[in-house]
Amino acid sequence: MPDIFFPSDAIKNQAHITEDEYNRLYAESLGDPEAFWDRVARTELEWFSPWEMVLDWQYPQYKWFVGGKLNITHNCLDRHVNGINKYKKAFIHIDEEGVETSVTYMELLERVNRCANALRSLGVAKGDRVVLYMPLVIEQVVVMLACARIGAVHSVVFAGLSDKALRERIVDSEAKVVITANWTKRRGKKIDLKGVVGRATEGLDTVQSIVVLVRDGDACELHTKEVNFDDIVAKQSAVCVPVPMDSEDPLFVLYTSGSTGKPKGIVHTTGGYSVYTHYTTKIVFDLKDNDTYWCTADPGWITGHSYVVYGPLSIGATSLLVEGAPDYPKPDRWWEIIAKYHVNIFYTSPTAIRLLRKHGEQYVSPHDLSSLRVLGTVGEPISEEVWGWFYERIGKGRCVLIDTWWQTETGGHMIVSLPSLPQKPGIAGRPFFGIEADVVDVQGTRLRDGEKGLLVIRKPWPSALRTCWNDEERFEQYWSEIKGVYCAGDLAIRDSDGYIKIIGRSDDVINISGHRIGTAEAESAIGTHPAVAEVAVIAKSHEIKGQAIKAFVVLKSGHSESDQLRNEIKLQVKSEIGSYAVPEEVVFVPTLPKTRSGKIMRRVLRAQESGEDVGDLSTIED
Ligand code: WT7
């Protein structure tokens, strides 16, 4: 396969940003980031009042658009309703049976307003936290926007996490209200979300109400604190004036895993996040007004926040929301949807592509995929082989395929291959405007092209995390691990063209199907099983998921290894965290390799797993 692909003239000629413009604007954006973002913020969004200062950078704190007032829902909704997109479809939802429901910008605004008024009727005010544990339905977006409308801080929890993981997030964020649905469907099976919320909130006085979306008018018994979503929303006015938010007022908290301890609540604020997600959506996806756009992520993760909800709505796009698994009820479900809805821009994960590729060619070829123009991936490295399949078999060699590296913490795309630029398979691309990315050693010294090192960002960008909820210290770690710069926790290599290849995490974080899980988190989940004395987990490579967990378990005396125990341990992880974190492999061992001071040497386990030299063992105890 060639190691570089050039976009077709058709794509290049109509792109928002040409290659020359990228080079010029990128240089300009690094030379004077404040002037660059000032111009973008003014020309792209509507503000209630302007800012006095673009960036206030007092290491390690930073503020963007200081003193500016806006409401993200004004830019996502009212602006379109006041303009030409009033009756344009904002979302088309497709459920597992293929049943379609859609909503225009006008209808979405009214539904958001009703829901915002309903939240107020439950006592939710500016700054209060609302946790969502919802299926991928239009109402999930409505609730997120309703929170933003009144200045409440949403914290979306992916509706595949366990009751314990949900509880931890509700407790940490001190949510007043939790919103859920009676069920979601996955592979034809109804999953009882309300039951999970019930267990997660048992005895929690901080939670005042639980709002339940009762789907399809099913019979649903409501208990104390529980109220019916439709009932409380129906009686509200369809008018709700958006609360003027300060640029630096929090918009949401989203929990993600780190290398140590419990998940941290990443806090994003209003102004910078609005500007950055809007602008990256426009430029990176080259999104045009008549495009149909489909990002397959769930709003339970950052990709859904930035590139299902806020970015595309801010642009005024028509997006698909597709509930359920990619290959259920049939392996060509996604290709059929692309053909039926004439999707132009398709953004997904390498895991999904690997899964669908495995089903075979016969599921792709019958479908007319000629509407596609831009393909994108996110969440994990994509191998050249998988890149090539996606490019040739789905894009038919006509589309541009962009990789996008970013994180929950970064809020938006950081390293990308813009549609008008040459694409290098397996290499994430070049930094977005204003992003000064570099590859350095542990002391922070810049490495030469081709050398592997730590990926850092030298200065704050508008959608950078502002803090970790209730944990400023963990926030500061991002900017102090290598003093003065943001350390992403990834290993990377820069080539002589300035393209950056992401190798994988540099820390104890495992990436399963694009979802992060800390080794410490997985180990503590396994450790809650009564038969487990000690445990260490490592990542092993997995054909579909990219990585999977392999757990080494030392049993307490009196217990002996068995398949039943192995299954119990897996179930324990499912109930502590969620299915996605369940170890692929559990092996029982008599001891774990440790240093003399008692620290588990995971590198020894990793080296053994990959058949590499285990290295210097002089400090090992046993
Ligand atoms: C970690 C962030 C950003 C939304 C989804 C994941 C890995 C992300 C790529 C990519 C290689 C990638 C990194 C990063 N990652 N995108 N294009 N190529 N690796 O967000 O859960 O915050 O995870 O995902 O390791 O640090 P997240």
Side-chain angles (χ1 to χ4, degrees):
M1 192 169 60
D3 54 14
I4 191 156
F5 285 78
F6 296 91
S8 68
D9 286 345
I11 285 177
K12 270 201 314 212
N13 294 344
Q14 62 140 15
H16 279 305
I17 300 275
T18 64
E19 188 174 2
D20 289 346
E21 278 169 339
Y22 168 80
N23 290 322
R24 182 174 57 79
L25 284 172
Y26 181 65
E28 225 177 271
S29 72
L30 287 201
D32 192 348
E34 293 172 47
F36 180 86
W37 289 116
D38 185 76
R39 184 174 52 77
V40 172
R42 266 173 219 284
T43 50
E44 298 284 336
L45 296 182
E46 292 178 3
W47 296 72
F48 299 148
S49 43
W51 48 95
E52 292 125 32
M53 195 188 208
V54 181
L55 170 65
D56 180 10
W57 172 218
Q58 318 247 357
Y59 175 86
Q61 259 82 37
Y62 38 87
K63 292 182 183 148
W64 282 90
F65 308 109
V66 183
K69 297 269 189 290
L70 76 167
N71 188 295
I72 198 166
T73 70
H74 171 85
N75 282 299
C76 288
L77 301 170
D78 308 62
R79 191 160 56 112
H80 307 309
V81 170
N82 298 336
I84 55 167
N85 284 335
K86 184 170 181 179
Y87 300 112
K88 183 177 176 179
K89 282 183 183 171
F91 286 109
I92 303 169
H93 173 260
I94 302 152
D95 73 7
E96 262 196 356
E97 279 85 40
V99 178
E100 171 192 322
T101 7
S102 62
V103 63
T104 63
Y105 275 90
M106 178 68 207
E107 289 161 347
L108 188 59
L109 173 62
E110 288 184 1
R111 284 169 71 174
V112 167
N113 284 345
R114 285 208 167 84
C115 183
N117 289 327
L119 289 174
R120 278 207 174 121
S121 77
L122 296 173
V124 177
K126 186 177 170 190
D128 288 342
R129 273 80 56 209
V130 173
V131 163
L132 285 76
Y133 189 76
M134 296 185 78
L136 185 51
V137 289
I138 292 170
E139 286 83 353
Q140 185 180 28
V141 179
V142 168
V143 175
M144 289 169 75
L145 295 168
C147 291
R149 190 92 178 155
I150 60 172
V153 177
H154 58 70
S155 182
V156 185
V157 178
F158 175 62
L161 295 198
S162 71
D163 50 8
K164 288 188 184 134
L166 173 60
R167 186 184 183 91
E168 197 170 83
R169 287 156 177 78
I170 295 171
V171 169
D172 191 72
S173 64
E174 294 166 275
K176 219 179 201 176
V177 171
V178 180
I179 308 198
T180 188
N182 51 344
W183 54 261
T184 185
K185 250 189 192 177
R186 191 118 181 131
R187 300 192 180 279
K189 266 204 339 235
K190 277 192 182 173
I191 300 161
D192 171 19
L193 301 181
K194 177 169 138 1
V196 178
V197 172
R199 290 191 295 280
T201 54
E202 216 176 287
L204 279 188
D205 294 334
T206 44
V207 176
Q208 295 171 4
S209 325
I210 297 163
V211 184
V212 184
L213 174 72
V214 180
R215 304 183 70 183
D216 295 346
D218 284 9
C220 176
E221 199 189 324
L222 297 177
H223 306 286
T224 11
K225 289 193 192 176
E226 291 178 347
V227 290
N228 183 310
F229 181 92
D230 288 322
D231 287 353
I232 57 159
V233 165
K235 50 184 181 224
Q236 304 296 331
S237 151
V239 178
C240 174
V241 178
V243 169
M245 300 285 282
D246 189 274
S247 284
E248 288 299 336
D249 278 336
L251 175 62
F252 65 86
V253 179
L254 183 61
Y255 286 84
T256 189
S257 298
S259 51
T260 55
K262 289 202 281 189
K264 42 195 167 183
I266 302 299
V267 176
H268 282 287
T269 57
T270 308
Y273 181 84
S274 293
V275 172
Y276 199 84
T277 52
H278 171 98
Y279 198 56
T280 47
T281 304
K282 176 169 168 177
I283 302 304
V284 176
F285 297 125
D286 200 33
L287 191 57
K288 304 282 171 28
D289 206 50
N290 50 0
D291 279 328
T292 298
Y293 165 88
W294 182 16
C295 164
T296 64
D298 187 287
W301 312 104
I302 190 69
T303 308
H305 282 63
S306 303
Y307 300 113
V308 173
V309 181
Y310 291 113
L313 287 176
S314 186
I315 296 292
T318 296
S319 300
L320 301 190
L321 276 186
V322 180
E323 195 177 356
D327 57 348
Y328 183 89
K330 24 185 213 165
D332 56 349
R333 177 183 191 221
W334 276 14
W335 313 132
E336 194 178 277
I337 290 173
I338 289 174
K340 179 169 173 194
Y341 292 92
H342 309 303
V343 172
N344 308 107
I345 300 168
F346 179 57
Y347 188 41
T348 192
S349 66
T351 290
I353 297 302
R354 287 190 294 260
L355 175 75
L356 296 174
R357 172 178 178 238
K358 210 179 165 207
H359 284 302
E361 222 44 52
Q362 69 273 30
Y363 292 105
V364 181
S365 39
H367 300 287
D368 174 9
L369 304 178
S370 59
S371 59
L372 290 170
R373 185 177 85 247
V374 177
L375 307 174
T377 65
V378 59
E380 24 165 353
I382 182 164
S383 69
E384 285 173 48
E385 201 192 342
V386 174
W387 194 99
W389 188 85
F390 196 17
Y391 182 82
E392 293 295 344
R393 299 308 147 100
I394 304 305
K396 317 286 180 195
R398 275 184 315 101
C399 298
V400 63
L401 169 45
I402 55 176
D403 190 0
T404 59
W405 174 87
W406 58 294
Q407 308 177 297
T408 305
E409 292 86 341
T410 72
H413 298 147
M414 302 293 280
I415 295 173
V416 297
S417 22
L418 290 187
S420 57
L421 266 64
Q423 317 293 322
K424 299 188 183 188
I427 299 187
R430 296 172 65 182
F432 192 69
F433 298 125
I435 304 300
E436 203 178 333
D438 214 343
V439 180
V440 302
D441 66 15
V442 284
Q443 275 85 42
T445 313
R446 182 168 208 251
L447 293 175
R448 281 194 302 262
D449 297 345
E451 284 182 339
K452 183 162 92 176
L454 298 167
L455 177 62
V456 297
I457 313 292
R458 296 208 177 272
K459 290 200 192 87
W461 59 100
S463 65
L465 78 161
R466 296 300 195 267
T467 187
C468 293
W469 190 260
N470 283 334
D471 204 343
E472 180 66 14
E473 210 175 294
R474 277 180 105 182
F475 162 73
E476 288 178 9
Q477 276 168 16
Y478 287 100
W479 292 91
S480 61
E481 214 158 288
I482 299 176
K483 188 139 174 61
V485 299
Y486 173 84
C487 187
D490 278 300
L491 291 170
I493 299 173
R494 189 189 54 239
D495 75 9
S496 53
D497 296 328
Y499 280 61
I500 293 175
K501 181 180 173 69
I502 312 294
I503 312 293
R505 297 290 303 195
S506 61
D507 56 6
D508 283 322
V509 169
I510 299 175
N511 186 329
I512 305 175
S513 311
H515 303 315
R516 265 155 78 168
I517 172 94
T519 45
E521 213 182 326
E523 286 168 0
S524 89
I526 294 171
T528 59
H529 189 284
V532 173
E534 274 186 317
V535 53
V537 311
I538 60 165
K540 59 180 242 174
S541 61
H542 188 279
E543 193 194 351
I544 303 292
K545 300 176 189 170
Q547 289 191 323
I549 290 178
K550 178 167 181 175
F552 297 85
V553 171
V554 180
L555 291 172
K556 285 185 185 154
S557 60
H559 295 275
S560 51
E561 71 169 90
S562 68
D563 281 341
Q564 193 201 328
L565 203 47
R566 207 168 267 128
N567 284 334
E568 275 178 33
I569 287 171
K570 290 184 179 183
L571 278 176
Q572 192 75 18
V573 177
K574 190 174 170 192
S575 92
E576 294 288 321
I577 305 171
S579 315
Y580 77 102
V582 168
E584 189 70 21
E585 199 182 335
V586 176
V587 291
F588 296 107
V589 290
T591 52
L592 291 170
K594 281 189 201 153
T595 60
R596 287 198 192 104
S597 60
K599 252 185 90 187
I600 294 173
M601 295 174 90
R602 290 196 197 85
R603 81 171 163 85
V604 173
L605 298 169
R606 279 195 288 260
Q608 220 169 33
E609 174 69 18
S610 58
E612 282 162 31
D613 181 13
V614 293
D616 177 17
L617 293 181
S618 59
T619 57
I620 208 161
E621 174 65 21
D622 194 355

